[in-house]
Amino acid sequence: MPTFYPGPSKVYPQVAQYAQEAVEQGIVSLNHRSAGFMDVVKETVRLLHEKLDIPADYHVALVSSATECWEIVAQSLTATSSLHPYGGAFGKKWMEYAHRIKPLLDPELADTLCVVQNETSNGTQVRMDTLTDFRREFSGLIAVDAVSSMAGLGFDWPLADVWFASVQKCFGLPAGLAVLVYSPDALKRAEIIGENDHYNSLLFIHENFAKFQTPYTPNGLGIYLLMRVLQHVPPIAEVDRRIRRQAADWYVFFEQELADSPWKLLIQNPVLRSDTVIAVAGSDTDIKAVKVAAQQAGITLGNGYGDWKTTTFRIANFPAIDDEEREQLKTFLRTYRP
């Protein structure tokens, strides 16, 4: 059944084979301090740098989730407090979570700027030129939640000090793992703060990943699957071109082919539209009905989220979703009548 749910979303079909390999070769039983497991971590980190074009001086670590990254940024990289310009549910959640750890007492003293690059809840996007403005105007660290865009879009990495994403979206993998990328300046900030009281303190994480180890027993299967997927995916520049082309095609489809349908794009300003999550608006009744009809046709649409839960459906435009599946959804939407 084709799924367009924006996370967890479709996994690459090869993942089943890779998981079988991991069991048959004993990867899932390796001690996380063993040479064999360290080789897997080392190759995974190398491939992340290569395939995502991450600068050589930026560090890479693997943790459990993007939510854990919120915690790491707040406890290990924020000395006073953080600012959170947001335009959707996940940006708001990150702000609330961070301020429980480091309350915002004086915005003028905030030393960390936290930005959701791709807001999965409503299909909006902060583009690189906006991050350029943030970098120019803000003197502290910049942390970017790129959960639904990393491995789908190319980034100008030096525009932020921290980038992170879970793997159940554009990486085309099962949930349970996240990629954390951080700059030399972020590491310096962590060293100045000196926070080392938690199992996921960045200093402890960095100390271990410098040896291609993890500070705790990790999701070994998830790391192996990430390594294997990275071996077969194209470089990010090629993926980026395809995803942006497909996004433009989706937006034209709704604005022109379905102009007389009950569906309207939630985000009217093209500059703000996401390239990886397309949010489509309609009445509560129409949205509920189309999701049921799609399911009966063998297609899973993404539910709405937060303030848009009952008035939108979302379409994932992730690399693992192929042309045939996209055409199947388009055919359904062309022929569907409420």
Side-chain angles (χ1 to χ4, degrees):
M1 176 180 290
T3 177
F4 292 87
Y5 215 96
S9 192
K10 181 190 175 184
V11 302
Y12 284 107
Q14 299 95 323
V15 167
Q17 173 194 332
Y18 298 157
Q20 185 176 351
E21 288 175 3
V23 173
E24 291 176 348
Q25 297 174 15
I27 302 295
V28 294
S29 302
L30 286 176
N31 183 293
H32 68 289
R33 307 287 181 210
S34 68
F37 184 77
M38 287 189 287
D39 286 343
V40 172
V41 173
K42 183 176 182 180
E43 179 65 2
T44 304
V45 170
R46 186 193 72 79
L47 285 165
L48 283 164
H49 275 280
E50 176 189 317
K51 291 299 180 75
L52 300 188
D53 199 24
I54 299 171
D57 62 343
Y58 272 52
H59 309 285
V60 174
L62 303 170
V63 296
S64 68
S65 67
T67 304
E68 184 182 4
C69 294
W70 290 354
E71 183 167 287
I72 292 167
V73 170
Q75 72 189 15
S76 294
L77 291 171
T78 304
T80 56
S81 191
S82 51
L83 297 177
H84 296 256
Y86 67 85
F90 290 102
K92 183 179 181 182
K93 284 186 176 184
W94 187 6
M95 178 189 69
E96 293 169 346
Y97 195 99
H99 289 170
R100 285 197 294 270
I101 298 173
K102 295 285 177 67
L104 180 62
L105 302 177
D106 184 351
E108 295 293 326
L109 298 178
D111 56 10
T112 306
L113 180 67
C114 299
V115 179
V116 174
Q117 190 274 328
N118 202 78
E119 179 55 71
T120 319
S121 68
N122 59 15
T124 54
Q125 184 172 239
V126 174
R127 299 184 182 275
M128 294 300 115
D129 55 354
T130 303
L131 280 177
T132 299
D133 293 339
F134 288 158
R135 184 56 114 182
R136 183 173 56 250
E137 296 168 6
F138 187 77
S139 61
L141 291 186
I142 297 178
V144 174
D145 179 324
V147 166
S148 52
S149 54
M150 187 185 290
L153 299 177
F155 300 145
D156 189 349
W157 297 96
L159 293 179
D161 302 283
V162 183
W163 301 78
F164 55 85
S166 302
V167 299
Q168 69 269 20
K169 299 178 189 286
C170 287
F171 282 96
L173 287 164
L177 190 69
V179 176
L180 173 64
V181 180
Y182 53 103
S183 70
D185 285 345
L187 181 59
K188 288 177 186 176
R189 168 75 71 82
E191 291 169 345
I192 291 169
I193 294 173
E195 189 281 312
N196 212 356
D197 298 329
H198 301 86
Y199 85 100
N200 60 355
S201 298
L202 185 58
L203 292 177
F204 190 35
I205 290 172
H206 180 78
E207 176 187 344
N208 279 269
F209 271 90
K211 301 177 289 187
F212 302 107
Q213 295 182 0
T214 59
Y216 47 82
T217 304
N219 179 354
L221 175 60
I223 294 173
Y224 179 78
L225 296 177
L226 175 58
M227 180 190 77
R228 294 291 280 121
V229 161
L230 288 168
Q231 288 171 343
H232 93 257
V233 297
I236 192 61
E238 183 178 335
V239 176
D240 179 281
R241 286 192 294 271
R242 177 166 72 89
I243 293 301
R244 292 183 190 277
R245 183 176 65 249
Q246 290 171 184
D249 182 63
W250 272 119
Y251 288 121
V252 168
F253 175 74
F254 280 101
E255 288 183 318
Q256 297 184 12
E257 283 199 54
L258 299 189
D260 296 329
S261 75
W263 319 122
K264 303 299 176 187
L265 292 167
L266 177 64
I267 307 304
Q268 292 296 304
N269 185 348
V271 174
L272 301 178
R273 290 173 182 163
S274 167
D275 289 304
T276 56
V277 179
I278 288 82
V280 183
S283 70
D284 292 32
T285 302
D286 286 341
I287 292 294
K288 183 177 180 179
V290 73
K291 288 190 296 184
V292 170
Q295 198 74 22
Q296 292 172 344
I299 300 170
T300 299
L301 291 174
N303 292 333
Y305 194 92
D307 293 341
W308 306 275
K309 184 175 183 178
T310 62
T311 56
T312 61
F313 64 82
R314 293 173 297 162
I315 298 172
N317 182 33
F318 297 160
I321 299 169
D322 61 35
D323 292 342
E324 183 179 345
E325 291 166 324
R326 286 193 303 279
E327 285 305 315
Q328 185 176 344
L329 176 55
K330 287 181 179 178
T331 297
F332 166 76
L333 292 170
R334 287 186 188 106
T335 57
Y336 171 77
R337 295 293 179 269

